Structure formats: structure tokens, C-alpha cells
Amino acid sequence: MSKKQSRQQSRRQTPNAPAAAVAAPAVAPAAALPRRLTAAAVLTALEGLALAGLGVYMLFVGIAGDPDSPQQAETGGVTLLALAALPLVAARGLRLGRRWSRGPALITQLMAMPVAWTLWTTGGAMTAAAVALALAAIAVTVLLVNPTATEALGIGPGEQAR
């Protein structure tokens, strides 16, 4: 172990270290969250993972494949990876019971509906993807506007901002 590593370790063990003085905010246990909120978090995470997977695929095709326009495929892949961050962060916030996470999760669902419609009008194999995306978006929206979920997140009439 180097001198630097041993100093860092001794700082971590010192109870008066500045890092030890800053306490992490209390987090409600995940078991206390209603199942509706957990289901919304899972579906939102699946949407984010699907976006990330498609982004990785497009990026791979743009770099290693033979697309009509490599630059367009790479840009599309990077864009999808960036867009995947919104539902993934929202899903994590929902799972932790964070009040702020409901907005990004609902925005994700609102963005998913026109995409589902576009996939539906394309026809063919995209019809199944359109139905799955639309059903997931509707389900998450219903789950997030449910009074049980809004109360668990501390959202509702007469609630004070946290």
C-alpha cells in the first residue's frame, strides 16, 4: 500500500473527518413503497433499458457495420443513449420514493405515445413493438397518477414542498 492510500484510509477511519460529519439524507425503505409505485419504476426502467439497448445497437452498426450513413447511425445511437438517461434516472427516483421523479417518468410516457403511434403506422414487425410501448406508457401513466402512488411520493392537495 502506498503512502497516499494509507493516508486516505486513515482519514476514512477518523471519526472527525469532514466526510463522516455529513450525514446522508434518510431514505424510506423500499418495502414501504406501494406496489403500484414499484411497478411504475420497473416499467420505466425497462423502457430506459430498451432505449439504451437500441442506442448501443445503432452505435455498433454505425461503427462496425455497413449502414447507408455511418454518421447518421452513430449520431442516432448517441442520441438514444442520452435519451435513455431520463427514464433510468426517473425509475431510480421512483424506486427510492423521491418526489421529483414523477415528473420525468410522466414526461417519458408522454414522449413514448407518439413513438408508439409512429411504430404502429409503420406496420409489419413494428406493430408488436408499438403495442408493447403504448401499453407500457399507459400503464405507467395510470400507476403514477394513482392516489396511492401520489401519496407515497408526498404529492397531493395540501402537501408542502420538500
Side-chain angles (χ1 to χ4, degrees):
M1 187 182 314
S2 72
K3 289 181 183 180
K4 185 177 181 180
Q5 290 173 338
S6 65
R7 272 188 269 139
Q8 288 174 347
Q9 186 176 4
S10 67
R11 284 184 194 153
R12 283 187 222 132
Q13 293 172 354
T14 305
N16 295 332
V22 178
V27 177
L33 292 176
R35 281 186 267 165
R36 289 181 173 108
L37 198 54
T38 302
V42 168
L43 287 173
T44 303
L46 288 174
E47 290 172 337
L49 290 173
L51 272 174
L54 187 56
V56 168
Y57 172 75
M58 285 182 69
L59 200 55
F60 178 76
V61 167
I63 294 170
D66 189 24
D68 293 335
S69 171
Q71 183 180 10
Q72 188 175 10
E74 292 165 7
T75 303
V78 169
T79 302
L80 285 177
L81 286 172
L83 286 173
L86 181 66
L88 290 172
V89 168
R92 186 178 191 303
L94 288 172
R95 186 68 183 120
L96 294 174
R98 302 287 195 245
R99 182 181 192 157
W100 59 263
S101 62
R102 183 174 176 245
L106 286 172
I107 289 170
T108 299
Q109 307 322 308
L110 291 174
M111 291 185 331
M113 293 308 290
V115 173
W117 177 254
T118 302
L119 292 173
W120 176 265
T121 57
T122 304
M126 292 297 154
T127 303
V131 170
L133 181 58
L135 288 176
I138 291 169
V140 171
T141 302
V142 168
L143 290 168
L144 289 176
V145 298
N146 185 289
T148 306
T150 56
E151 287 174 14
L153 292 172
I155 301 169
E159 294 289 332
Q160 294 180 358
R162 291 185 198 175

